[in-house]
Amino acid sequence: MKTKRIFIDPFEDLGFAKVDLHREIRKGFPEVVFAEGKTGHQACAIGKTILKINNKVMFTRVNSKMAVILKKEFKKGLYYNAARIFYVGIKKPVSGLIAVLSAGTADIPIAEEAAITAEIMGSKVLRIYDVGVAGIHRLITFRKRIEKARVLIVIAGMDGVLPSVAGGLFAKPIIAVPTSVGYGLSLKGVTALLTMLNSCAPGIAVVNIDNGFGAGYLACLINQL
Amino acid sequence: MKTKRIFIDPFEDLGFAKVDLHREIRKGFPEVVFAEGKTGHQACAIGKTILKINNKVMFTRVNSKMAVILKKEFKKGLYYNAARIFYVGIKKPVSGLIAVLSAGTADIPIAEEAAITAEIMGSKVLRIYDVGVAGIHRLITFRKRIEKARVLIVIAGMDGVLPSVAGGLFAKPIIAVPTSVGYGLSLKGVTALLTMLNSCAPGIAVVNIDNGFGAGYLACLINQL
Amino acid sequence: MKTKRIFIDPFEDLGFAKVDLHREIRKGFPEVVFAEGKTGHQACAIGKTILKINNKVMFTRVNSKMAVILKKEFKKGLYYNAARIFYVGIKKPVSGLIAVLSAGTADIPIAEEAAITAEIMGSKVLRIYDVGVAGIHRLITFRKRIEKARVLIVIAGMDGVLPSVAGGLFAKPIIAVPTSVGYGLSLKGVTALLTMLNSCAPGIAVVNIDNGFGAGYLACLINQL
Amino acid sequence: MKTKRIFIDPFEDLGFAKVDLHREIRKGFPEVVFAEGKTGHQACAIGKTILKINNKVMFTRVNSKMAVILKKEFKKGLYYNAARIFYVGIKKPVSGLIAVLSAGTADIPIAEEAAITAEIMGSKVLRIYDVGVAGIHRLITFRKRIEKARVLIVIAGMDGVLPSVAGGLFAKPIIAVPTSVGYGLSLKGVTALLTMLNSCAPGIAVVNIDNGFGAGYLACLINQL
Amino acid sequence: MKTKRIFIDPFEDLGFAKVDLHREIRKGFPEVVFAEGKTGHQACAIGKTILKINNKVMFTRVNSKMAVILKKEFKKGLYYNAARIFYVGIKKPVSGLIAVLSAGTADIPIAEEAAITAEIMGSKVLRIYDVGVAGIHRLITFRKRIEKARVLIVIAGMDGVLPSVAGGLFAKPIIAVPTSVGYGLSLKGVTALLTMLNSCAPGIAVVNIDNGFGAGYLACLINQL
Amino acid sequence: MKTKRIFIDPFEDLGFAKVDLHREIRKGFPEVVFAEGKTGHQACAIGKTILKINNKVMFTRVNSKMAVILKKEFKKGLYYNAARIFYVGIKKPVSGLIAVLSAGTADIPIAEEAAITAEIMGSKVLRIYDVGVAGIHRLITFRKRIEKARVLIVIAGMDGVLPSVAGGLFAKPIIAVPTSVGYGLSLKGVTALLTMLNSCAPGIAVVNIDNGFGAGYLACLINQL
Amino acid sequence: MKTKRIFIDPFEDLGFAKVDLHREIRKGFPEVVFAEGKTGHQACAIGKTILKINNKVMFTRVNSKMAVILKKEFKKGLYYNAARIFYVGIKKPVSGLIAVLSAGTADIPIAEEAAITAEIMGSKVLRIYDVGVAGIHRLITFRKRIEKARVLIVIAGMDGVLPSVAGGLFAKPIIAVPTSVGYGLSLKGVTALLTMLNSCAPGIAVVNIDNGFGAGYLACLINQL
Amino acid sequence: MKTKRIFIDPFEDLGFAKVDLHREIRKGFPEVVFAEGKTGHQACAIGKTILKINNKVMFTRVNSKMAVILKKEFKKGLYYNAARIFYVGIKKPVSGLIAVLSAGTADIPIAEEAAITAEIMGSKVLRIYDVGVAGIHRLITFRKRIEKARVLIVIAGMDGVLPSVAGGLFAKPIIAVPTSVGYGLSLKGVTALLTMLNSCAPGIAVVNIDNGFGAGYLACLINQL
């Protein structure tokens, strides 16, 4: 049985792994590599395979240690550390404006993941961070500027209240992102998610907990309409 | 075995049931009868036992059918139908003001349960209903009037967002009441409860789902300090 | 205490209920009335209040019995029975195309709620029902037609798999709606919701279980960009 | 894209983070800094910003390592290690008495968080620790002393039974705090929380698991009425 | 296929159903019939089969309608309506004393199920009902009498606190029974169950929600040691 | 908008519903109709559509009322009432033996759903019902006969223990079916499901709660290898 | 405020902690010290306080590191490492026999905690380990010996099936202990607990997950009747 | 008490542990050793006991550190590192083909556990990895080859969609394996499990999360029919 030898590293023989190389044609952007839980070796292997027939590759959830490995392999790549994104390639030309709102300081990594994703995929981004409803006047101060955006990404942990309030103020599509920030009954983001799904304000849809990338990606799809 | 004969109605022999007759001395108000799930016969029997040594008795979760039975038994009693409360006795003299805020129309029965409980136990009540955050300007309009209250009871179902927003605006003790109003992932009030427990605004504590009585009772304890 | 008299019907004195009359200005469409759990009397009262300063009103979750009551009050209103929507007013002029996909026959009421909402708010709608992945060729057959839409609403109960598959095929914003269809571990829509939130295909956001209205509303917001 | 450079540390450019500087005016006490999950650098930056226009700042969930960093920055600050609180500023003049009861030895950190918060915000505090119901005579021994308090904070993990028993004995507002103490089905505090929310004794409201700060804060709001 | 004809009633051909006829030899008491969800016809058929080789049969969860049917079939049987038990046969000679404690009025049906089961299986029973901890003096009043029992069955819904308190007072084996009594977060008995499993007082074990029969059965096994 | 007229009955225009007509070619058996929640009219319409190009159609979860409607439409159909299955068509020739084991009397409807499905799809079926582990000798009695089967379907509610015991005794593929039979913490089948998924005996896989049809279908797929 | 100085170690001033010193009189055995999460210093302090007026003290969940500390302090104490128990004092004279059964190898630490507790408190113990139902003949082999015991403690993780099977074989009181052994859907012992609570065999009660001490304690209470 | 000495290592005296030595006769394959959580010493001891009367032994969840220990003890054993399996003995002669499909790269360890188990127990295995539905064309490409298999094992984390799609395409028995791969609401595999149990495509049964071994074992039982 030869199998044993082959699987020293599951990626030694990439005949087994079928990277979705034609996704750019089908979906407008190549397969994105979720780096968490992969070795640097694995991430590089997949990245190189994608670059064979695409002119760009994006990695998410890249910690600083893996960033060093990726930078070594992909000299032209840039690391956005607050967003934990590593990107190789040029950015799309900029289309309309997306506003990224976050409730607390601890939500910033997810907010940046959304913002940088949106910028890479060709949107202009307005960042309004730390405007949680415990001090709701902070949000209202920025009202005029936010109304210039075409799509809103609203990020909150704990009670997840911010998207409901934003939904009451703005007539824009809102993508809500619950974060795993909190303790006790924040339930690692489940409470924020439930709040957002039950929002009484219409015009809101929700992505998975901590899925800043997904929110940024969807916001760009909408922005490019 | 005589037991069988005795238990045709569990209340036939009240030697078995030990109504807490001295609670007024210990807690300042006699035992309150939770009527839901009891027969009219049972409710009357307990009510009469309490009235033997107290000058008042209060029933909660009284539907219209039971109200008729209670009215027949306790001629001087009054039925507050929106609150589903039946009360026999005089009210306490009025002390300071409690504000009862509710997010939606469907939350009114619980809001009234809280309000009437508070009034019976000697508080003045300001009702501000239907001021959910989907139209947050409605809450802000009443800001001045609400600030006159000593304690706030804030009631909401669905996303349960209203107490968080109120907590950001007012420096008052807030008792939050989640309601079972909603559908899908409102989870019969659990979502609202979780939102309230995770509120980023300080000064909020929470009672059980739909427990308007408990909120009104606690608000009065605070109000009488 | 006058309160008791007032609350025979919580809506007798509308001073208590604060309908959000200016939402059309703020959000582009007046407050929508969720009819489930309201009496015909209540629904009519709210409807009339809204029509005082808006030229339209929409009711959702309207069963056939309430539809008769509303039709009597609002002669010009129309009842969309599969969608359980009652609407008074003219429709917005039609903008771009939205595709509504549903997995099973039992999902059609929610699909229609989404579709009619979108039509009322000014979108053209393509309906593709009963294309669940147990027979995936059915979806692929309609691929060309679906690609003409600007936004996709994808509806599924049980395993909730359809949005993931659609997300792999189309480079469009997808609003996924889990339905409470199923038995056993479908958990009244929670399983479908979880599947959708964890979709490996990017470009998907999710609304509450059975929230066809919310999906239609959001799709129109996007469509009007 | 300049973003990358800016986000080496999310707090380098505080234009992004909007500390709620005017909370003291609105709520009577400045924004409190939840230190868990923040770096010492971040905590110091926020603390200094708050001190620019307030004369005090309070940090919660401060471990001993961060305490050293904060002490270096804020020379006049004091560290309450059992409570994990670091406070810069003078205390409010003392008003009425709050009693803090805890069920077990392991609940003391949360009990101290509540007690120190209350002392800082101007209450006198009576500590009665380790009086769980497994030896209920211990609680009864202290009955007279507890009755002198205006508000009770009752803290318990595991079965969370203590607030129910206290609620049966005292006619005072009770703020119950579930703790994450326990194993197996204590579910990290959820069991204690559920017990407290379902208490048959009236006059009890509940805060989030381990939220000693919230309980102390609310007790002071009540105490100052 | 003959199957179809056979299954008009699943019990027509008892060759399929294998009543455990020899359980009395193995376990000391014959198989007990859980009547809920069975038709009168089914219950009678099983009862008669058991009586063929045992001199007794016990049915639990018997509503009044089924009681009439069983009485018609088994003339010598007795119906204990508060306990919802129907029993045919003589009782075992009485051994030691079991005390059955319940917290509230609504717990009495389960308490009686436990008490009657214990009496039928040969125990003497002391009933102490309605001694919940909201008025803990009621329990202490009965302390002397309870201490004469060899085993305690302690029954409570809502917060499920009574067994913890009893466990702190008595050095006896305690079988705790959570009931589905309550609303909101009582979660149909789950909260009471969790409280009991986490009791800080040793000497307590728990049976399923509403399982009065199981508690009575186990108490007798212990009592007969 | 013509839509409204079309949707008086969602099946009036079957252009919308895309019955999977070619499933027999792809999967070996035509689409099966889940009748629960459908009207008789809808069920008949789908049935007729399937029969246009297949020579058989099977309905599951058919109650007696719908059975009458189906019998009127499909004269040659047979109703298996214990299994709640209505079948039009001839059965496949019989291949090897499947044993269907069930733990309790209340599990028989699901057991029959599995058994009849298997018989219709061409398997011979041995039924061994009511052999729960409370009397484990009953199972051991049938050991020889069960060992003649090629595949085992093992059905249990409540504690769901039977498949684990069967898995310890027989070297056969086992399909375990949890049923929603039980009360309290049986959690409508979730407990039985969890038990089965965690079985320490290897060779067991599980289908959805109450999914007798799914088990019968899969057992036949295996049996035909 | 002196508080700060006092709380360097919460146990420095034991005036705050109220060890339940008179439990031996009330409950027949002194308070037992749950060592997990305590420092060696804390454990020693509590132990010495208890020994001041009792002639024995027992510590549970003692890891090897703490055992060394305790041994240094309490020279006459013995450490039972498989059971993680440290005990100072003489054992009670031996009464009747308790059988401790466990399903798997990984359950042995909990089984030993139960067994040693029972031995210390005066029972004779028969250990039958590793007799899970995947090989049910192993249990049946020991049937005769197990029948000599007065009480059974049955311990299992994963599917938690063993108590159900034992309950079908033996007419003895059974205390079931779920363990947190397993992976995936064993849910850290919740699955085993649910199985045990739903057992179809009567005569079983359940303690908290991994609570070997509680089971041993209760078994001794029963054994001493 | 001699117990203490004996339990320095629970396996010192194997008289306590009853390895199921005759399972090969009963089940066709000896007891398999789940190595996770065991010490190397324990694993070796059990392995040697099994080898005394069987000619093979298999260990699962073997990390590289334990592999070294096992290799030292069992010189002829082979370690399959991607599968974390250590096997001593010869393989069964090869029977029919099993296809193992996995959705993502991160699912490969579980996929390999299934594949190697199946190969050891005598099946030929076709591996098709990384064919998740985000790029569904990848699966369709392999359709012909997959149809040659007799049984399918389909492995997926996150949304768990792959088995539903495979079930729509292939008329084969499918064993679905959810993996704990994912983040946020993947709930460590629970979401994938729920999706699989609710699959609308018939012919699918499910094993525990990450239970690659169980799937491989069952597939072989089926394959050998």
Side-chain angles (χ1 to χ4, degrees), chain A residues 174-177 197 203-207 218, chain C residues 175 205-207 218:
Chain A
I174 293 178
I175 303 164
V177 190
L197 284 168
I204 300 172
V206 186
V207 297
L218 175 55
Chain C
I175 304 164
V206 186
V207 296
L218 176 55

Side-chain angles (χ1 to χ4, degrees), chain C residues 21-162:
Chain C
L21 297 175
H22 308 286
R23 190 171 297 178
E24 189 165 15
I25 299 159
R26 232 173 50 253
K27 296 273 300 182
F29 198 87
E31 190 172 346
V32 170
V33 187
F34 186 80
E36 200 170 286
K38 296 205 173 65
T39 64
H41 183 69
Q42 290 175 337
C44 288
I46 300 178
K48 283 191 288 185
T49 307
I50 290 171
L51 281 175
K52 274 179 197 155
I53 62 161
N54 296 280
N55 63 350
K56 63 193 106 170
V57 64
M58 178 171 162
F59 302 81
T60 62
R61 302 285 166 98
V62 176
N63 58 27
S64 55
K65 202 178 140 192
M66 179 168 283
V68 172
I69 297 169
L70 290 173
K71 186 70 187 175
K72 212 179 243 170
E73 181 69 43
F74 307 102
K75 299 282 184 321
K76 293 185 181 163
L78 284 176
Y79 181 48
Y80 303 87
N81 63 339
R84 294 173 298 171
I85 285 174
F86 189 92
Y87 181 61
V88 186
I90 53 162
K91 275 180 263 183
K92 288 198 173 184
V94 170
S95 62
L97 183 70
I98 290 170
V100 179
L101 283 63
S102 87
T105 302
D107 302 322
I108 289 179
I110 303 306
E112 276 302 299
E113 188 179 279
I116 296 291
T117 298
E119 288 177 342
I120 284 174
M121 293 188 178
S123 292
K124 221 179 133 194
V125 175
L126 168 68
R127 289 163 171 86
I128 310 283
Y129 294 168
D130 211 5
V131 289
V133 302
I136 205 170
H137 60 289
R138 295 179 292 186
L139 178 61
I140 292 168
T141 305
F142 291 94
R143 198 167 170 176
K144 280 267 168 66
R145 291 180 62 188
I146 294 167
E147 270 170 359
K148 285 177 187 148
R150 303 181 86 221
V151 189
L152 269 54
I153 297 174
V154 186
I155 294 162
M158 293 294 289
D159 56 10
V161 163
L162 189 57

Side-chain angles (χ1 to χ4, degrees), chain H residues 38-40 61-72 79 86:
Chain H
K38 296 205 172 64
T39 65
R61 303 285 166 100
V62 177
N63 59 26
S64 55
K65 200 179 142 192
M66 180 168 282
V68 172
I69 298 170
L70 290 173
K71 187 70 189 175
K72 209 178 246 174
Y79 180 49
F86 189 92

